[in-house]
Amino acid sequence: MIGMRIASGLLVAGMTATATATACSPAADGATSTVQAPPAAPTATAASQHPSETLSPVFEQPLPNVKGKTFTSAIVDFPPNARAVAHRHGAAFVYAYVLEGTVRSQLAGEPVRTYHQGQNWVEQPGAHHLLTENTSRTKRAKLLVIFISNTGDKLKIEDPPG
């Protein structure tokens, strides 16, 4: 319960701060605030493809006491049956909190884990995220994700197709 209050407070703080700190937001400098995987090439199996997630930054600000680092909070929305492409977050430290639904996740060298609403995990800098998926075929899942990254770095680098 305490974790939910903290995460909710971070989300509300991020939303409130976004209104007063638009100069720090990705949208203020012309960057896109939604990141989606490119659509798959049409094939006979396109119908069996999983939908992808959407990452929507809520708040972004350079850390005033840590030169070269930026704090970013984002909501990651997984439609029913959605799956993210394997990816990394560069040198970022990542905290993920399940706001809604159930998400299955696997980092390289670790077992597959299932996280339900109110649960969380962290990813160390350089971690390879092999699996992230919404376990439901009918309900969406949402994450609050916090990145502490090098200022200017991409937040998500997808593995090349192959």
Side-chain angles (χ1 to χ4, degrees):
M1 187 61 132
I2 292 171
M4 183 63 165
R5 286 188 206 134
I6 291 170
S8 296
L10 284 173
L11 181 58
V12 170
M15 287 183 193
T16 304
T18 300
T20 59
T22 55
C24 295
S25 72
D29 64 5
T32 318
S33 62
T34 302
V35 178
Q36 289 184 315
T43 66
T45 60
S48 67
Q49 296 290 324
H50 292 270
S52 65
E53 84 287 8
T54 303
L55 184 143
S56 302
V58 175
F59 179 73
E60 181 179 58
Q61 178 176 331
L63 292 173
N65 59 342
V66 185
K67 186 177 180 176
K69 296 291 183 180
T70 296
F71 171 98
T72 304
S73 64
I75 300 297
V76 181
D77 183 33
F78 288 87
N81 204 34
R83 179 180 295 168
V85 172
H87 61 277
R88 298 174 191 269
H89 298 289
F93 174 81
V94 179
Y95 168 81
Y97 180 88
V98 182
L99 294 169
E100 183 179 323
T102 301
V103 175
R104 187 175 299 123
S105 178
Q106 182 181 24
L107 299 175
E110 296 185 16
V112 174
R113 291 190 171 98
T114 301
Y115 299 94
H116 303 279
Q117 182 177 0
Q119 294 182 313
N120 63 77
W121 72 89
V122 296
E123 297 176 32
Q124 297 300 319
H128 190 196
H129 208 148
L130 302 174
L131 172 70
T132 317
E133 66 182 357
N134 181 352
T135 62
S136 176
R137 292 180 182 263
T138 59
K139 297 179 183 173
R140 60 177 59 270
K142 288 186 181 182
L143 302 174
L144 168 65
V145 182
I146 305 295
F147 301 89
I148 304 298
S149 63
N150 292 329
T151 301
D153 280 2
K154 284 185 165 187
L155 296 179
K156 181 181 176 191
I157 303 131
E158 293 183 352
D159 287 3

